[in-house]
Amino acid sequence: MSSHENEKDATGPSASHVGTHVGGLATTRDVERIEAPVTWQAYLICAFASFGGIFFGYDSGYINGVLGAPIFINAVEGVGAKAISESNQSLIVSILSCGTFFGAIIAGDVADFMGRKWTVILGCLIYIIGCVIQMITGLGDALGAIVAGRLIAGIGVGFESAIVILYMSEICPRKVRGALVAGYQFCITIGLMLASCVIYATKDRADTGQYRIPIAIQFLWAIILGVGLMFLPDSPRYFVKKGDLKRATDSLSRLRGQPKDSQYIQVELAEIVANEEYERQLIPSTTWFGSWANCFKGSLWKSNSNLRKTILGTSLQMMQQWTGVNFIFYYSTPFLKSTGAISNEFLISMIFTIINVCSTPISFWTVEKFGRRTILFWGALGMLICQFLVAIIGVTVGFNHTHPDPLDSTKTVADNVSAVNAQIAFIAIFIFFFASTWGPGAWIVIGEIFPLPIRSRGVGLSTASNWLWNTIIAVITPYMVGEHRGNLKSSVFFVWGGLCTCAFVYTYFLVPETKGLSLEQVDKMMEETTPRTSAKWKPTTTFAAAQAADDGLLHKGSDMAV
């Protein structure tokens, strides 16, 4: 650090006032020096915040095995039942996503009112209440308890899934933001794997622990995240939005591991303040209804309009769900069982989740090396090829061709077990492509594209879109593949393959490259370029320098070296 460490621009108003000047804060023209060096403290704080993905993933994953647990089936459908009915299966799986949809929308307002971290903590509390209600399953109306509990738990997951992404995007250093936010998706995959392992461990129990143990373990994740967040700082960008520069400075100092009077802290805070000033001129403060309306203002044809950003965020999450990945994680156990070629469908489901976990860390490197747009583009291509191969093999010689088991007329056996094994292999490769590209990539981009005045609501709407489509897919899938309904079998992969093709085309025309940019620079990039040329854009000035120059605060030769 230079000898100018404590040099500050003292010609402006007090640093505690967010006005028309970058008051009392050091500024720089160097676009590469608008952020403090990355420390292990920053890595650890962001890594812990990503822990929230574990109970998101676990809650999504445990239901796959519970639906196949004989004791749970008898509790819901009655003694002697062999499976959960298609309508009840649809209701139980989709109700969590329904609650999460509303939770994500509400969370945007709550995050602006009480802060990012406290919104996540409140979500943990709501989630625990939902878990308690789910534990009642079996003591009375089993269906009512599991549905009500998953609905309330879903609201808590909605708070967490929307605001953890917002919180991480706002506190992560720009050069590693993609990798750290990808850690959230990694934790989702760990949650799915843990759920699969717990289900596998309890599947042979002869008591209600067969489904109550998987439900009860959810408490642990919520307690760890909620208690741990109490000791972490809130987002400095939240405090800037509230006009509280003192607390913003304290928060940024803790996040970056630098003294509060360090020029690194001053420069980064000045950039955040100046950008907030700039964006507030474009998006003035207004009423509650007006603040929501701001998310939909601007031209559809202008790449930097709020409307375009909202459409980009919500449609990106829609595309992530359209890949069909949750069909595999929600319904793989009963679906694999129906093929007549799998002797241990629980084990295959667990293998899928392990592949999911092991593939996701690849994105930690690729998302910063090649960029968000690049991995989404090639990931969509890889997924659509795998989906179509699964579908084509299935309708010709695979899943769709079975015959009665000569030893048990109530069962069916696949005509060509090798073909079925090939399909399972391509499903595994599909999971690899999803986990290393679209899984983390969609979450990273939605945390980066929104300006500060609408960021919490924009991320909330995007996350709600994820859960809306999650709900729709969870509702319709049993009817698409159910033996007494659509009975599509392998043909359902033609649907997912077609939708992955849509994601491929969508990425090429509409997804911008945000790699290596601060959240403030992303806004400028989207203003000055198009998605197809965005990777070539480079920042030429800082918001703080431009703001200071406009106000006569930054004089020739005063640019500091840090």
Side-chain angles (χ1 to χ4, degrees):
M1 195 178 299
S2 77
S3 60
H4 297 290
E5 169 72 14
N6 295 315
E7 182 181 317
K8 299 178 188 175
D9 186 345
T11 60
S14 166
S16 63
H17 173 68
V18 182
T20 58
H21 299 78
V22 188
L25 298 171
T27 61
T28 181
R29 290 192 183 97
D30 191 339
V31 296
E32 296 300 322
R33 296 179 176 178
I34 58 171
E35 198 171 75
V38 182
T39 65
W40 281 108
Q41 183 175 352
Y43 281 122
L44 292 175
I45 289 174
C46 296
F48 180 79
S50 68
F51 181 85
I54 287 185
F55 72 78
F56 175 177
Y58 186 91
D59 208 55
S60 298
Y62 86 90
I63 199 63
N64 179 29
V66 166
L67 288 174
I71 295 176
F72 181 80
I73 293 171
N74 290 336
V76 174
E77 299 291 342
V79 177
K82 299 296 184 182
I84 302 292
S85 68
E86 290 161 359
S87 58
N88 284 342
Q89 188 177 106
S90 173
L91 175 63
I92 292 169
V93 173
S94 65
I95 198 67
L96 176 89
S97 304
C98 179
T100 310
F101 169 79
F102 290 106
I105 291 180
I106 296 168
D109 280 329
V110 178
D112 276 349
F113 174 72
M114 64 187 297
R116 287 29 171 165
K117 80 167 187 176
W118 291 107
T119 301
V120 178
I121 292 171
L122 177 60
C124 291
L125 179 61
I126 296 171
Y127 182 80
I128 288 173
I129 294 171
C131 293
V132 170
I133 295 173
Q134 289 180 70
M135 288 295 292
I136 300 173
T137 299
L139 299 181
D141 184 351
L143 181 63
I146 195 72
V147 168
R150 281 176 62 79
L151 176 64
I152 294 172
I155 294 173
V157 173
F159 273 53
E160 183 274 333
S161 59
I163 307 307
V164 163
I165 291 296
L166 174 64
Y167 178 63
M168 292 184 68
S169 296
E170 291 191 341
I171 68 173
C172 288
R174 65 190 171 108
K175 293 183 179 179
V176 291
R177 186 178 59 240
L180 289 172
V181 175
Y184 177 77
Q185 174 66 21
F186 181 52
C187 287
I188 292 177
T189 66
I190 291 176
L192 285 165
M193 183 184 72
L194 290 173
S196 183
C197 292
V198 171
I199 290 295
Y200 190 71
T202 60
K203 68 183 181 67
D204 295 325
R205 290 182 67 96
D207 55 22
T208 57
Q210 191 178 56
Y211 62 86
R212 279 194 173 136
I213 290 174
I215 292 172
I217 288 176
Q218 297 174 98
F219 284 94
L220 181 62
W221 320 134
I223 290 171
I224 291 174
L225 180 65
V227 173
L229 277 177
M230 291 182 181
F231 299 97
L232 299 186
D234 212 326
S235 164
R237 288 176 169 88
Y238 164 72
F239 291 125
V240 167
K241 183 174 182 178
K242 290 294 184 181
D244 191 342
L245 283 195
K246 183 179 183 301
R247 295 179 73 183
T249 304
D250 292 342
S251 172
L252 194 59
S253 175
R254 290 182 62 190
L255 288 169
R256 299 294 183 253
Q258 298 281 341
K260 286 186 283 189
D261 60 352
S262 163
Q263 278 192 346
Y264 286 117
I265 300 301
Q266 296 284 301
V267 166
E268 185 169 354
L269 190 59
E271 185 72 0
I272 296 171
V273 170
N275 178 259
E276 198 271 342
E277 284 287 314
Y278 169 75
E279 290 177 339
R280 193 142 48 86
Q281 293 171 16
L282 300 177
I283 313 173
S285 298
T286 181
T287 62
W288 175 84
F289 179 81
S291 62
W292 273 105
N294 280 336
C295 295
F296 303 95
K297 287 185 177 179
S299 169
L300 183 63
W301 313 112
K302 184 180 178 182
S303 61
N304 195 44
S305 72
N306 290 351
L307 176 62
R308 273 285 292 270
K309 290 177 179 177
T310 300
I311 291 174
L312 175 62
T314 53
S315 59
L316 195 66
Q317 290 292 338
M318 175 184 73
M319 291 289 173
Q320 190 201 60
Q321 290 301 305
W322 277 8
T323 62
V325 69
N326 280 331
F327 163 74
I328 294 169
F329 290 121
Y330 285 165
Y331 297 110
S332 62
T333 301
F335 185 75
L336 290 170
K337 188 176 182 178
S338 70
T339 66
I342 308 299
S343 60
N344 192 337
E345 61 275 6
F346 285 97
L347 179 61
I348 299 297
S349 292
M350 190 166 70
I351 290 172
F352 285 163
T353 63
I354 292 172
I355 294 170
N356 197 25
V357 171
C358 295
S359 303
T360 302
I362 296 172
S363 66
F364 297 177
W365 177 72
T366 58
V367 75
E368 299 298 355
K369 175 67 175 179
F370 303 109
R372 286 70 158 147
R373 174 182 166 85
T374 301
I375 67 169
L376 291 175
F377 179 82
W378 291 108
L381 179 62
M383 288 190 296
L384 74 88
I385 291 172
C386 290
Q387 298 280 28
F388 280 125
L389 284 172
V390 172
I392 293 168
I393 294 171
V395 299
T396 53
V397 293
F399 282 171
N400 291 21
H401 299 272
T402 60
H403 60 270
D405 187 342
L407 301 178
D408 186 348
S409 59
T410 63
K411 297 180 180 180
T412 57
V413 179
D415 291 352
N416 190 327
V417 175
S418 297
V420 173
N421 289 337
Q423 286 183 274
I424 291 172
F426 281 116
I427 291 174
I429 296 170
F430 158 78
I431 293 171
F432 163 79
F433 276 111
F434 175 85
S436 59
T437 59
W438 274 83
W443 291 110
I444 293 168
V445 174
I446 68 165
E448 297 176 330
I449 59 175
F450 294 101
L452 184 57
I454 65 167
R455 185 172 294 142
S456 63
R457 289 181 172 88
V459 174
L461 283 169
S462 300
T463 306
S465 172
N466 180 292
W467 289 106
L468 173 64
W469 287 97
N470 192 311
T471 303
I472 292 171
I473 290 172
V475 168
I476 67 174
T477 297
Y479 298 97
M480 293 168 67
V481 300
E483 184 178 348
H484 304 295
R485 304 284 182 167
N487 198 25
L488 288 178
K489 296 184 178 179
S490 297
S491 299
V492 74
F493 287 93
F494 280 120
V495 177
W496 307 134
L499 293 174
C500 285
T501 304
C502 293
F504 176 71
V505 175
Y506 167 90
T507 303
Y508 179 76
F509 287 105
L510 296 175
V511 177
E513 183 53 72
T514 57
K515 175 175 74 78
L517 303 177
S518 70
L519 296 182
E520 290 69 36
Q521 289 169 342
V522 169
D523 191 57
K524 199 69 175 175
M525 176 272 292
M526 295 183 72
E527 181 180 328
E528 297 179 354
T529 187
T530 64
R532 283 183 289 172
T533 60
S534 56
K536 299 177 182 178
W537 185 88
K538 303 295 180 185
T540 57
T541 187
T542 65
F543 277 95
Q547 183 79 18
D550 289 344
D551 295 329
L553 294 178
L554 190 63
H555 303 290
K556 186 176 181 180
S558 66
D559 190 32
M560 65 184 186
V562 290

